[in-house]
Amino acid sequence: MINGYKDLFLDRTYKGAEDKYLEGANFFEIYALYSFDRELRSLFLRYILEIENNVKTALAYEFSKKYGFDNYLTIGNFNTNVQPHEKRKTAAQKIGEVSDLITGIQREISKQLSNNNPMISHYMLEEGYVPLWVLVNILTLRTISKFYNNLKQINQNTIGIKFKLYPDEMCALLSVLSIFRNQCVHDSRIYNFKAVKKNGAANSIKTNKMHAELKIQMDSGNNPIYGKNDLFAIVIIFKLMLSKSSFNKFCFALKHEIEEVDKKLQTIEIETILQKMGFPSN
């Protein structure tokens, strides 16, 4: 536990072989940061799940209205055309992505049947298929993200408009959200976590109106230095995708947790932690 949270309390000017803590730093401060991180996981997961449920409901409704309840295993109901921004992909690779999605869904249904999930078993035995509105409840947010990403653009638009988001924005938001969801579920450190892709590159949300409204500083590549793939990016996602009431409740709870950990700090300032979370100085 200590090794995961001690970094902010180390004296970085010290060049010796062993770690040296800042003068006055103690175990209780480090534990306070650990406890704060634990509360963050619980708080953020609560609202990530709210967005997840809303997206699942919208996706199941719109896809089923267009293609029926049982046609999510048909390749032709997804986008198999290589898009202009996918120049490095071939037509075969594009179809392969959709096939991979469908295979993953079939694998999950098989897993649920093996585990005797009563809802899944009922529909498979009685109807011969699982309606999408039932199926989405067992699919991970990562799979839902892939499902949306592979929809035909007209179907993406129909779902995205419910959240006032363009398809490319929605795809990026869901991808980052699913990564942070996994961190929360697996009790992994979240306050200084950043979403990355398999190749190590940043997995970022699109620069949007919130970055401009908050006047977040830009880097040399004209990208915001905060709110892209850090915890503050999730706050931006919440602002864009939660109801006003839910977002206000989240902000109130977050403010409370920040104030509580601030009371327990002696050797570092709360701004040091907020910076690691990706929060702008203002």
Side-chain angles (χ1 to χ4, degrees):
M1 186 274 288
I2 292 293
N3 286 337
Y5 297 90
K6 67 180 182 179
D7 286 0
L8 297 186
F9 301 92
L10 295 178
D11 184 351
R12 294 300 177 185
T13 65
Y14 180 67
K15 303 300 182 182
E18 301 293 331
D19 288 335
K20 180 183 179 182
Y21 288 87
L22 296 169
E23 186 176 351
N26 58 70
F27 171 81
F28 298 104
E29 278 189 286
I30 301 175
Y31 184 76
L33 177 57
Y34 162 79
S35 299
F36 173 63
D37 193 52
R38 183 181 58 197
E39 295 301 324
L40 286 181
R41 286 196 297 273
S42 176
L43 174 61
F44 275 78
L45 181 60
R46 186 188 319 159
Y47 290 97
I48 288 173
L49 291 177
E50 182 173 327
I51 292 175
E52 178 179 332
N53 289 333
N54 292 339
V55 171
K56 285 180 174 180
T57 299
L59 186 148
Y61 176 79
E62 295 298 337
F63 188 89
S64 298
K65 184 171 70 172
K66 178 72 175 179
Y67 303 107
F69 295 117
D70 60 342
N71 285 326
Y72 48 80
L73 299 181
T74 303
I75 288 181
N77 292 338
F78 294 89
N79 187 3
T80 57
N81 296 319
V82 178
Q83 302 303 303
H85 65 278
E86 299 176 315
K87 295 179 180 179
R88 296 184 180 180
K89 288 183 182 177
T90 65
Q93 288 174 325
K94 188 70 175 181
I95 293 176
E97 287 182 358
V98 177
S99 298
D100 182 61
L101 167 66
I102 291 174
T103 300
I105 292 174
Q106 291 175 314
R107 188 182 300 115
E108 186 57 39
I109 293 174
S110 297
K111 176 183 175 183
Q112 296 298 324
L113 289 171
S114 297
N115 293 335
N116 289 310
N117 181 310
M119 185 67 73
I120 302 300
S121 299
H122 166 77
Y123 279 100
M124 285 299 291
L125 292 172
E126 297 296 326
E127 307 293 340
Y129 71 94
V130 183
L132 186 57
W133 63 269
V134 174
L135 179 65
V136 291
N137 293 308
I138 66 166
L139 298 180
T140 65
L141 182 55
R142 182 174 182 273
T143 300
I144 292 296
S145 176
K146 288 175 64 177
F147 196 113
Y148 179 83
N149 193 41
N150 283 288
L151 288 176
K152 295 178 180 178
Q153 187 166 358
I154 188 171
N155 303 136
Q156 288 182 334
N157 289 338
T158 305
I159 297 169
I161 199 170
K162 293 179 180 294
F163 300 93
K164 299 179 181 179
L165 293 169
Y166 291 110
D168 60 338
E169 290 181 303
M170 186 90 160
C171 289
L173 295 183
L174 292 179
S175 178
V176 173
L177 206 62
S178 68
I179 293 174
F180 273 85
R181 182 195 190 282
N182 287 340
Q183 283 290 112
C184 294
V185 170
H186 292 102
D187 283 333
S188 300
R189 193 167 62 250
I190 191 176
Y191 85 96
N192 63 347
F193 178 75
K194 292 188 177 181
V196 296
K197 299 176 182 179
K198 290 182 179 180
N199 62 5
N203 192 338
S204 303
I205 66 173
K206 298 286 184 180
T207 301
N208 57 61
K209 61 183 180 181
M210 294 307 306
H211 295 99
E213 289 179 15
L214 294 169
K215 299 179 181 178
I216 296 177
Q217 181 182 345
M218 299 290 186
D219 62 17
S220 58
N222 203 33
N223 292 307
I225 63 173
Y226 298 117
K228 291 289 285 181
N229 69 327
D230 47 33
L231 196 58
F232 192 64
I234 305 301
V235 177
I236 290 177
I237 294 175
F238 286 175
K239 176 65 175 174
L240 294 172
M241 299 189 73
L242 286 173
S243 67
K244 184 176 180 180
S245 173
S246 290
F247 183 70
N248 287 341
K249 289 177 182 177
F250 161 75
C251 288
F252 180 82
L254 179 60
K255 181 173 181 290
H256 171 75
E257 296 301 336
I258 291 172
E259 289 173 345
E260 287 300 304
V261 72
D262 189 25
K263 295 175 185 177
K264 301 169 184 176
L265 299 176
Q266 297 176 359
T267 55
I268 65 172
E269 300 291 333
I270 186 64
E271 285 74 19
T272 302
I273 297 176
L274 293 176
Q275 185 181 41
K276 289 294 183 180
M277 293 165 64
F279 279 53
S281 59
N282 60 351

